[in-house]
Amino acid sequence: MIEKLIVLEDIDPVIFYGVNNANIQLIKALYPKLRIVARGNVIKVLGDEEEMCAFEENITKLEKYCAEYNSLKEEVIIDIIKGNTPQAEQSGNVIVFSVTGKPIIPRSENQLKLVEGFAKNDMVFAIGPAGSGKTYTAIALAVRALKNKEIKKIILSRPAVEAGEKLGFLPGDMKDKIDPYLQPLYDALQDMIPAAKLKEYMELNIIQIAPLAFMRGRTLNDAVVILDEAQNTTAQQIKMFLTRMGMNTKMIVTGDMTQIDLPASQTSGLVQALRILKGVKGISFVELNKKDIVRHKLVERIVDAYEKFDKEAKAEREKRKNEQLVLNGERPVKLAKE
């Protein structure tokens, strides 16, 4: 008789053990010769050495399955312990599985281009309107790389720019002050990583969320680094961010050109970067549009309405400018075609 401790490292034990410990009870029933006690993320096993080896091997397989699919069902446990290959949840273009076991896949042609661009290049720019899945897909790709142990950490950043209003003084410590700007990133992570595991990752700095201002002076190695809302960076900020790239690091920069919240006197760093970096080898540019919007159907209609309004306003400005030129005896400019 020997005793062994098995530590569950890459998963949330709550998911592994099942509702009301149903999964661990099933495992105990399938190994009647072993005495199995599970507490926290540690499984203590007592029994025959040969039986113990088979048990440990199958627990490793179950843990790997649970880490990949964020779920563990009764039929999967039975299949793996009996030596059968469990039926795949879903193959194809799945990036990762959500905490509910739902597959997260590219939901449009351009989202698929983002996935492919990430696979082939070390830096990807994803530009598109609200709701087109830029940030969500980028974070899913980062989570997959972390789960596959291709990288050691995920770093998520945003410029701390208020959207058209002054929030004034925010109470609390530094984390409390920057959290409101970074909440959309937390929301996506909570969809893909179980709460207990996400908390652990953040405490160990495996997942880091920081405002762009804190990036200066760092060299980012073995990481997927995502800069969200990049349209609100200045030229100096985005250059500083892009030059933080270290060894075995991939960067994804996302932005929406129609939601620039910088003062009118400042040029968006993203606009400038797209112009400067066009054609640079190793950088992929993916442009998403209103057809990629995967939020409520009204979001696409709202984006449409604002695009129409902007075109009409631009045409009206050019018309007034030409009328003024005619009054001044100057030659009017030709209206730009949309």
Side-chain angles (χ1 to χ4, degrees), residues 153 155 215 217-221 243-247 249:
K153 55 184 177 282
I155 301 170
M215 288 292 177
R218 298 184 67 181
T219 300
L220 308 173
N221 295 314
T243 53
R244 299 305 93 202
M245 179 179 268
M247 302 302 292
T249 289

CSV table of all heavy atoms in Angstrom, one decimal, residues 153 155 215 217-221 243-247 249:
chain,number,residue,atom,x,y,z
A,153,LYS,N,2.9,34.7,-19.8
A,153,LYS,CA,2.0,35.7,-19.2
A,153,LYS,C,1.2,36.4,-20.3
A,153,LYS,O,1.5,36.4,-21.5
A,153,LYS,CB,2.7,36.7,-18.4
A,153,LYS,CG,3.9,37.4,-19.1
A,153,LYS,CD,4.6,38.3,-18.1
A,153,LYS,CE,5.8,39.0,-18.7
A,153,LYS,NZ,7.0,38.2,-18.8
A,155,ILE,N,-0.5,40.2,-21.0
A,155,ILE,CA,-0.5,41.6,-20.5
A,155,ILE,C,-1.5,42.4,-21.3
A,155,ILE,O,-1.5,42.4,-22.5
A,155,ILE,CB,0.9,42.2,-20.7
A,155,ILE,CG1,2.0,41.4,-19.8
A,155,ILE,CG2,0.9,43.7,-20.2
A,155,ILE,CD1,3.4,41.8,-20.1
A,215,MET,N,3.8,51.2,-18.9
A,215,MET,CA,4.6,50.4,-19.8
A,215,MET,C,6.0,50.8,-20.1
A,215,MET,O,6.9,50.1,-20.4
A,215,MET,CB,3.9,50.2,-21.2
A,215,MET,CG,2.6,49.4,-21.1
A,215,MET,SD,3.0,47.6,-20.8
A,215,MET,CE,1.4,46.9,-20.7
A,217,GLY,N,9.7,51.7,-20.1
A,217,GLY,CA,10.9,51.0,-19.5
A,217,GLY,C,10.9,49.5,-19.4
A,217,GLY,O,11.9,48.9,-19.1
A,218,ARG,N,9.7,48.9,-19.7
A,218,ARG,CA,9.6,47.5,-19.6
A,218,ARG,C,10.0,46.8,-20.9
A,218,ARG,O,9.9,47.4,-22.0
A,218,ARG,CB,8.2,47.0,-19.3
A,218,ARG,CG,7.6,47.5,-18.0
A,218,ARG,CD,6.2,47.0,-17.7
A,218,ARG,NE,6.2,45.6,-17.5
A,218,ARG,CZ,5.1,44.9,-17.2
A,218,ARG,NH1,4.0,45.5,-17.2
A,218,ARG,NH2,5.2,43.6,-17.0
A,219,THR,N,10.5,45.6,-20.8
A,219,THR,CA,10.7,44.7,-22.0
A,219,THR,C,9.9,43.5,-21.8
A,219,THR,O,10.0,42.8,-20.7
A,219,THR,CB,12.2,44.3,-22.1
A,219,THR,OG1,13.0,45.5,-22.3
A,219,THR,CG2,12.4,43.4,-23.4
A,220,LEU,N,9.0,43.2,-22.7
A,220,LEU,CA,7.9,42.2,-22.5
A,220,LEU,C,8.3,40.9,-23.2
A,220,LEU,O,8.2,40.8,-24.4
A,220,LEU,CB,6.6,42.7,-22.9
A,220,LEU,CG,6.2,44.1,-22.3
A,220,LEU,CD1,4.9,44.6,-22.9
A,220,LEU,CD2,6.1,44.0,-20.8
A,221,ASN,N,8.8,39.9,-22.5
A,221,ASN,CA,9.2,38.6,-23.0
A,221,ASN,C,8.1,37.5,-22.7
A,221,ASN,O,7.4,37.6,-21.7
A,221,ASN,CB,10.5,38.2,-22.4
A,221,ASN,CG,11.7,39.1,-22.8
A,221,ASN,OD1,11.8,39.5,-24.0
A,221,ASN,ND2,12.5,39.5,-21.8
A,243,THR,N,7.5,49.3,-29.0
A,243,THR,CA,8.9,49.0,-28.8
A,243,THR,C,9.2,48.3,-27.5
A,243,THR,O,10.3,48.1,-27.2
A,243,THR,CB,9.8,50.3,-28.9
A,243,THR,OG1,9.3,51.3,-28.0
A,243,THR,CG2,9.7,50.9,-30.3
A,244,ARG,N,8.1,47.9,-26.8
A,244,ARG,CA,8.3,47.1,-25.6
A,244,ARG,C,8.5,45.6,-25.9
A,244,ARG,O,8.8,44.8,-25.1
A,244,ARG,CB,7.1,47.2,-24.6
A,244,ARG,CG,6.7,48.5,-24.1
A,244,ARG,CD,7.8,49.2,-23.4
A,244,ARG,NE,8.6,50.1,-24.3
A,244,ARG,CZ,9.8,50.5,-24.2
A,244,ARG,NH1,10.5,50.1,-23.1
A,244,ARG,NH2,10.4,51.3,-25.0
A,245,MET,N,8.2,45.2,-27.2
A,245,MET,CA,8.2,43.8,-27.6
A,245,MET,C,9.6,43.1,-27.3
A,245,MET,O,10.6,43.6,-27.7
A,245,MET,CB,7.8,43.7,-29.0
A,245,MET,CG,7.8,42.3,-29.6
A,245,MET,SD,7.3,42.2,-31.3
A,245,MET,CE,5.6,41.9,-31.2
A,246,GLY,N,9.5,42.0,-26.6
A,246,GLY,CA,10.7,41.2,-26.4
A,246,GLY,C,10.7,39.9,-27.1
A,246,GLY,O,9.9,39.7,-28.0
A,247,MET,N,11.5,38.9,-26.6
A,247,MET,CA,11.6,37.6,-27.3
A,247,MET,C,10.3,36.8,-27.0
A,247,MET,O,9.7,36.8,-25.9
A,247,MET,CB,12.8,36.9,-26.8
A,247,MET,CG,14.1,37.6,-27.0
A,247,MET,SD,14.4,38.0,-28.8
A,247,MET,CE,14.6,36.4,-29.4
A,249,THR,N,7.3,37.0,-28.0
A,249,THR,CA,6.1,37.9,-27.6
A,249,THR,C,5.3,38.2,-28.8
A,249,THR,O,5.9,38.4,-29.9
A,249,THR,CB,6.6,39.2,-26.9
A,249,THR,OG1,7.1,38.8,-25.6
A,249,THR,CG2,5.5,40.2,-26.8
